[in-house]
Amino acid sequence: MPHLIIEYTDNLSPHIQVKELLKKSGQVLSSFPDVYPIGGIRARAIKVTDYYIADGSEDDAFVHMTLKIGAGRTDKEKKDTCDKLFQTLQDHLQDLYQSRYLALSLELYEFSELGTYKKNNIHKRFK
């Protein structure tokens, strides 16, 4: 862990440049190597095709980030991570945000050690 899931409405394609957003977001997580082991980082995007936003009368859109992490990080580490991720999201979509109705959000989930099962041999490449 961490795992980052970016959900976005299909009416943002192709303007969102989702692969670039994934790369930037992964780099944010990698910038905390003492907090998040690089071999555990996962970032993925899901284009949402079925949705309803506000009153349904406009071509509204959203991008929602969900960051899932294991237990053990300090409140400061979690806040610093979320602040940097959300700023990256805002910067990436600044022009799009200015030109259309768009909701941006980020949510953090923290699992207890009993809540996750992991097997990963990628870590050894970074030791």
Side-chain angles (χ1 to χ4, degrees):
M1 296 217 125
H3 288 217
L4 179 68
I5 301 136
I6 301 172
E7 297 171 273
Y8 65 99
T9 53
D10 63 350
N11 59 354
L12 293 176
S13 295
H15 310 291
I16 190 173
Q17 300 172 344
V18 72
K19 289 184 180 183
E20 184 64 23
L21 179 57
L22 286 167
K23 180 179 178 182
K24 290 175 185 176
S25 300
Q27 290 170 337
V28 166
L29 297 172
S30 295
S31 74
F32 297 95
D34 295 334
V35 180
Y36 309 107
I38 292 174
I41 294 171
R42 310 282 184 278
R44 56 194 172 271
I46 301 168
K47 185 189 316 185
V48 180
T49 58
D50 298 312
Y51 51 88
Y52 187 89
I53 302 171
D55 65 357
S57 66
E58 294 286 339
D59 188 33
D60 298 326
F62 71 79
V63 179
H64 178 73
M65 290 180 152
T66 302
L67 178 61
K68 297 180 179 187
I69 62 172
R73 279 73 178 196
T74 67
D75 286 346
K76 181 177 181 348
E77 290 168 335
K78 291 182 280 191
K79 182 178 181 342
D80 289 349
T81 302
C82 289
D83 286 350
K84 198 168 179 181
L85 270 176
F86 197 65
Q87 188 62 56
T88 299
L89 176 64
Q90 291 177 89
D91 292 348
H92 182 78
L93 295 172
Q94 180 178 3
D95 292 341
L96 202 52
Y97 189 85
Q98 298 301 321
S99 67
R100 64 169 306 131
Y101 293 113
L102 177 60
L104 306 176
S105 55
L106 170 94
E107 189 172 13
L108 173 69
Y109 283 99
E110 184 176 20
F111 293 99
S112 71
E113 289 303 316
L114 296 175
T116 62
Y117 295 79
K118 297 174 236 155
K119 184 175 181 179
N120 178 351
N121 66 3
I122 299 171
H123 291 292
K124 66 183 176 184
R125 192 171 78 228
F126 294 97
K127 298 222 181 217

